[in-house]
Amino acid sequence: MGEGAYIRVQNKSQHAVEIKVVEGSKVDERGMNKIQGTIEPGEQLPLNGETPYDDGRRYQYIEGDVRFFFQGDGHFHLEAHPADGAPRSGLKLLVDSDEWWSEDPSPDEASPVLMVADIDDNGDDDRTRIEIRIFDNYNGSSWMGELEETIADTPLNKLGLPGTHDSGTYAFNEDLGAAPDSDLTTKIDDIIGCVDALSDMILRQIFNRLCKTQTMDFAGQLKKGIRYFDLRIAHHEDSNTFHTCHGVYCVEVSDVLNQVKDFLSENSKELVILDFNHLYAMDGHHEELIDIILETFGDKVANLKEVKATSPLSEYWERGYQVVVVYHKTEMTKMDKYEGLIWHGGYVRSPWPEANTTDVLRSKLTDLSVEKRHPAAFFVLQGILTPDGELIKNQIMDAKGVSIKSFAGQCNCQFVDWITGDPDNQLKLSCTGGGEDGAEGRANSITIVDFVENGSVVPAVINSNRA
């Protein structure tokens, strides 16, 4: 038997679409007809199918054709054709003897829909799950402006904002090596030995497996639609420079800030939240870093004297504000020269779920999304898994052992289920309440994941603002 998968197609857009399999090779065609046909908004294909999971959802089983595995990868193309004749969206699914994966969708920009694949390989070769989700399309570079009529009057802390976890870890500065992250570096030091003596090869292995959480730089993340950035920053004494970090020194902060500045200059209605929440080796250097931040963005920095987290987005637009700077060093936010410009850490509630399985993560997020919200603050829902010390110790030198990327592969697909899925399987993006006056209302979340390009978290969160 070839590599098998359970697949379904969900229509989460506002458009009726016809699903077509338009081309395929080296894939068993049995069952393909069950994932073709017209789907109304809120419906799915197959209409009737197998229920391999405990939640009772219906899937169609398909598999690669084992006869062709020695002749290359199998694949097939899926397309979503809007019923009104508008341009289509599509994607390509591929399979070999070990796994399924998808190619990045390249929809016609004029298409009203976007088709995205989430692939959940839970380690059982016969239980790979493929969720094809169809969303209303948008331009990742300008989605806030595009949704102006819908979101202009929404308080900023009630918008659904897609974000990234450890946003600046897409590159490793090999010249600088290990960073002073007290949590991650100490854990690795205990397991392997003296961090200062680690070879470049081992550090690169550690970075790729346990430190790197994103592949896109900030420009790429912004163009994809990301509007919240989770930042660990460390000062490097010898070079007197600031870098993003996660166990190792990553990208120079000035480069990160300039990428954001350039993007905002071209997209006047887009707004970002920069959350500087972990700061290392910063004694005597906080003012220097804050000055760099404020000088980079100038009058685009939101002033707390004029707007709050609960202010509607339109008020930010009216004042030309595009950047909220949150800095987790309370005494700095109280300095006269920074008053109002640097928001203290209490404005972002971002509880770490500390989970290394999806079952534990789901349980903790359910509790945290209720317990930790504050009506005057932003709330961050962390859809991330974290390997514990014992797991790292056992698998760090195993080429196929634990990695942040493998954890994201287990987590991201299910996370989308939890925030937008079937009512009986849903961890809501939103809650009731949230106004300063205690009034009931919808309050969406900031959501962050690792390797955000893998799957449909971003379109799911952006489209949550249409409801």
Side-chain angles (χ1 to χ4, degrees):
M1 181 172 64
E3 170 70 5
Y6 289 98
I7 185 171
R8 68 171 176 163
V9 185
Q10 303 174 71
N11 186 1
K12 295 182 175 296
S13 77
Q14 302 175 57
H15 304 269
V17 295
E18 183 180 4
I19 304 301
K20 297 180 180 179
V21 177
V22 294
E23 186 266 340
S25 175
K26 304 172 187 174
V27 175
D28 194 322
E29 295 183 358
R30 288 173 294 180
M32 287 291 186
N33 62 314
K34 299 291 183 64
I35 57 172
Q36 299 186 79
T38 299
I39 316 180
E40 296 295 328
E43 299 298 326
Q44 74 152 63
L45 290 172
L47 296 175
N48 298 294
E50 299 180 56
T51 55
Y53 306 102
D54 293 338
D55 50 32
R57 289 173 293 175
R58 302 181 303 280
Y59 292 83
Q60 178 59 43
Y61 184 77
I62 58 175
E63 63 184 46
D65 195 325
V66 71
R67 296 171 299 171
F68 297 112
F69 279 149
F70 293 105
Q71 302 176 30
D73 302 333
H75 70 271
F76 65 93
H77 288 265
L78 273 175
E79 291 183 350
H81 293 255
D84 60 7
R88 67 183 181 275
S89 178
L91 56 80
K92 183 178 181 180
L93 287 171
L94 302 96
V95 60
D96 62 16
S97 57
D98 296 317
E99 63 180 340
W100 287 84
W101 69 99
S102 68
E103 287 191 346
D104 290 339
S106 299
D108 187 318
E109 291 183 0
S111 177
V113 295
L114 172 67
M115 177 181 274
V116 188
D118 288 279
I119 298 178
D120 176 15
D121 183 355
N122 66 2
D124 184 340
D125 287 345
D126 293 327
R127 295 289 295 276
T128 296
R129 180 163 65 101
I130 303 175
E131 299 282 0
I132 306 296
R133 298 182 172 104
I134 300 160
F135 297 94
D136 291 308
N137 202 4
Y138 57 88
N139 184 324
S141 293
S142 57
W143 68 265
M144 298 181 83
E146 288 179 2
L147 296 181
E148 178 175 0
E149 292 186 5
T150 303
I151 67 177
D153 296 328
T154 303
L156 186 59
N157 71 335
K158 290 189 178 183
L159 285 177
L161 298 177
T164 47
H165 172 239
D166 280 324
S167 308
T169 60
Y170 51 86
F172 165 37
N173 190 318
E174 296 189 22
D175 292 334
L176 303 186
D181 305 33
S182 60
D183 49 0
L184 181 60
T185 306
T186 300
K187 184 184 294 184
I188 294 170
D189 192 13
D190 291 342
I191 294 167
I192 298 180
C194 180
V195 168
D196 291 337
L198 291 177
S199 69
D200 289 344
M201 181 181 69
I202 294 177
L203 271 178
R204 194 177 301 113
Q205 168 89 333
I206 292 171
F207 171 69
N208 287 325
R209 296 276 294 281
L210 297 174
C211 304
K212 184 175 184 177
T213 65
Q214 307 299 332
T215 58
M216 295 184 291
D217 62 12
F218 273 52
Q221 292 180 41
L222 286 159
K223 290 175 183 177
K224 189 171 181 65
I226 299 303
R227 296 296 180 265
Y228 168 88
F229 295 90
D230 169 45
L231 294 163
R232 288 176 180 245
I233 306 296
H235 179 258
H236 187 261
E237 190 67 31
D238 292 346
S239 63
N240 191 31
T241 53
F242 301 96
H243 294 259
T244 60
C245 66
H246 189 215
V248 295
Y249 287 98
C250 296
V251 185
E252 193 165 348
V253 169
S254 59
D255 179 47
V256 164
L257 298 180
N258 283 323
Q259 290 181 54
V260 178
K261 176 185 176 182
D262 291 345
F263 173 84
L264 296 178
S265 296
E266 296 176 359
N267 298 278
S268 61
K269 289 199 170 180
E270 304 308 298
L271 182 147
V272 302
I273 299 173
L274 302 179
D275 186 7
F276 295 83
N277 51 52
H278 288 74
L279 301 160
Y280 302 97
M282 290 291 292
D283 288 349
H285 298 289
H286 286 287
E287 286 189 57
E288 184 182 352
L289 175 58
I290 293 172
D291 288 343
I292 291 172
I293 298 167
L294 296 183
E295 288 170 9
T296 299
F297 297 112
D299 58 9
K300 295 182 186 295
V301 175
N303 194 323
L304 266 171
K305 296 178 180 178
E306 298 184 353
V307 292
K308 301 177 181 178
T310 54
S311 298
L313 182 57
S314 59
E315 290 189 13
Y316 288 82
W317 284 340
E318 289 167 5
R319 292 170 171 80
Y321 293 155
Q322 291 185 270
V323 184
V324 173
V325 179
V326 182
Y327 201 86
H328 292 243
K329 189 72 172 176
T330 302
E331 54 264 41
M332 303 307 299
T333 66
K334 293 180 179 179
M335 292 181 65
D336 289 344
K337 68 175 183 177
Y338 300 138
E339 186 180 0
L341 298 175
I342 302 297
W343 299 32
H344 67 76
Y347 278 101
V348 174
R349 303 298 176 92
S350 184
W352 177 40
E354 194 173 2
N356 62 9
T357 70
T358 52
D359 288 342
V360 173
L361 178 64
R362 168 71 186 274
S363 175
K364 289 192 173 183
L365 289 181
T366 300
D367 295 336
L368 292 172
S369 64
V370 175
E371 295 173 3
K372 299 298 183 180
R373 291 182 186 264
H374 188 281
F378 300 101
F379 180 76
V380 180
L381 200 60
Q382 297 193 18
I384 60 172
L385 294 176
T386 307
D388 59 28
E390 190 64 26
L391 194 58
I392 294 173
K393 181 177 181 179
N394 292 335
Q395 298 188 18
I396 183 58
M397 302 311 292
D398 180 353
K400 294 186 177 181
V402 64
S403 70
I404 299 298
K405 191 165 188 176
S406 67
F407 267 33
Q410 298 174 37
C411 175
N412 288 7
C413 179
Q414 295 189 48
F415 185 59
V416 177
D417 278 345
W418 302 339
I419 60 178
T420 69
D422 302 323
D424 293 338
N425 189 47
Q426 192 171 18
L427 170 68
K428 293 184 181 296
L429 260 175
S430 60
C431 67
T432 57
E436 286 185 303
D437 57 0
E440 291 295 310
R442 183 166 185 200
N444 278 341
S445 304
I446 297 167
T447 59
I448 62 173
V449 295
D450 294 322
F451 295 97
V452 71
E453 73 278 6
N454 294 339
S456 63
V457 173
V458 174
V461 176
I462 289 175
N463 276 285
S464 71
N465 296 295
R466 300 181 191 270

